[in-house]
Amino acid sequence: MPKLDESLLTGLPPFSQLDRQQIREILDQATSHRHEEGKAVFREGFDAGRFFLLLDGHIRVVRSTETGEQVIVLHISPGQLFGIARALQRDTYPATAIAAAESIALSWPTSLWDSFVARYPGFATESYKTLGRRLGEIQSNLTAMATKAVEKRVAAALLRMVNQSGRKTEDGIEIGFPVTRENIADMTGTTLHTVSRLLSGWQKDGIVKSTRKHVVVTDPHRLVVLSQTTG
DNA sequence: TCATTAAGATTTA
DNA sequence: TAAATCTTAATGA
């Protein structure tokens, strides 16, 4: 395996306080791996042997319910750590991670987690900040599921993906990874049929433009309004 | 309001 | 061409 370039980690929150030498140490212990679209990086309940940092692509974090349906809990964007079971005092992964698009991730043996925390200033605090943000996101999504109408949940889900991964195009802002109507249904607790119907309607209204696995938000403001209006 | 069912069209591999 | 994805409409909880 070729030596990884230090610029890969420079400036990323968990490593921002480290000097060149420390980043070098960390990289020399890392393994880089490519993950094909749709393939699992790791699975819920399995031994949490490694933790990961996403360099490129997007990861869907999925949990399955007792009845077997899957729920998309959140997405991971480049630069973020994931699979950090150790930070949750767990020795198995709490969820399944699937490459939403072709992705590249670094990983380290989980046995190194404690020494990273002890040795590298800022690593622990930044990791726990990330964890806290994610818990908050999951929490507010759960609340939305229980209290908000489907239309608002779907609007909010689109906005969340656009905020995390949006790229500008001629028409508006495109969600930066492939996403099916069924995926959106799995994030919002509805069915692919309802998502399809909503997207068709919004397309007629000029709010979004979508093709298979691609969604462009052409009028973000109106989508924000839709995600908030009461009634 | 929304899930379910059904029956199809279209895109991709 | 088979499988995956998407669309639309009808029906009823």
Side-chain angles (χ1 to χ4, degrees):
Chain A
M1 158 124 46
K3 272 213 167 189
L4 297 160
D5 195 276
E6 288 152 35
S7 65
L8 288 176
L9 298 188
T10 321
L12 296 182
F15 310 111
S16 55
Q17 296 179 34
L18 307 184
D19 62 34
R20 207 169 191 72
Q21 172 55 35
Q22 292 171 311
I23 288 181
R24 188 71 260 159
E25 284 170 21
I26 287 174
L27 277 172
D28 286 344
Q29 302 179 84
T31 300
S32 177
H33 201 289
R34 193 180 70 93
H35 301 274
E36 261 177 75
E37 177 178 341
K39 297 285 177 63
V41 179
F42 55 77
R43 291 194 176 278
E44 180 175 354
F46 282 56
D47 180 68
R50 304 184 73 83
F51 64 97
F52 300 79
L53 178 86
L54 186 62
L55 290 181
D56 192 38
H58 283 275
I59 301 291
R60 271 201 306 271
V61 177
V62 173
R63 297 201 54 168
S64 16
T65 64
E66 308 80 19
T67 46
E69 302 107 57
Q70 56 173 25
V71 177
I72 297 178
V73 180
L74 51 81
H75 288 93
I76 306 291
S77 300
Q80 297 193 309
L81 292 170
F82 65 106
I84 50 180
R86 195 63 242 281
L88 296 165
Q89 316 281 359
R90 296 185 50 128
D91 49 11
T92 60
Y93 294 116
T96 295
I98 295 171
E102 157 121 16
S103 298
I104 298 178
L106 298 182
S107 72
W108 296 266
T110 296
S111 56
L112 291 180
W113 179 266
D114 289 334
S115 68
F116 276 29
V117 165
R119 181 170 308 166
Y120 302 121
F123 180 80
T125 38
E126 286 304 326
S127 303
Y128 287 109
K129 271 188 207 168
T130 310
L131 222 48
R133 273 195 299 274
R134 284 183 200 165
L135 282 177
E137 189 184 331
I138 293 168
Q139 185 66 251
S140 72
N141 194 37
L142 281 176
T143 317
M145 290 267 229
T147 60
K148 292 192 169 184
V150 167
E151 186 184 44
K152 289 172 216 167
R153 305 206 299 266
V154 173
L158 293 182
L159 287 170
R160 229 188 309 144
M161 289 187 280
V162 152
N163 286 332
Q164 273 201 186
S165 74
R167 337 164 150 148
K168 291 197 183 75
T169 71
E170 327 79 66
D171 295 326
I173 314 173
E174 179 175 24
I175 293 172
F177 52 88
V179 62
T180 66
R181 278 125 187 81
E182 183 158 40
N183 291 154
I184 298 172
D186 288 344
M187 301 170 212
T188 52
T190 183
T191 62
L192 72 151
H193 311 277
T194 296
V195 172
S196 180
R197 193 175 46 72
L198 286 171
L199 286 179
S200 299
W202 291 341
Q203 178 143 347
K204 282 197 190 81
D205 294 343
I207 298 172
V208 303
K209 199 178 256 193
S210 65
T211 55
R212 159 178 287 232
K213 290 194 183 188
H214 292 277
V215 181
V216 178
V217 177
T218 49
D219 191 339
H221 179 255
R222 276 212 280 164
L223 203 57
V224 170
V225 172
L226 275 177
S227 73
Q228 292 168 348
T229 37
T230 59

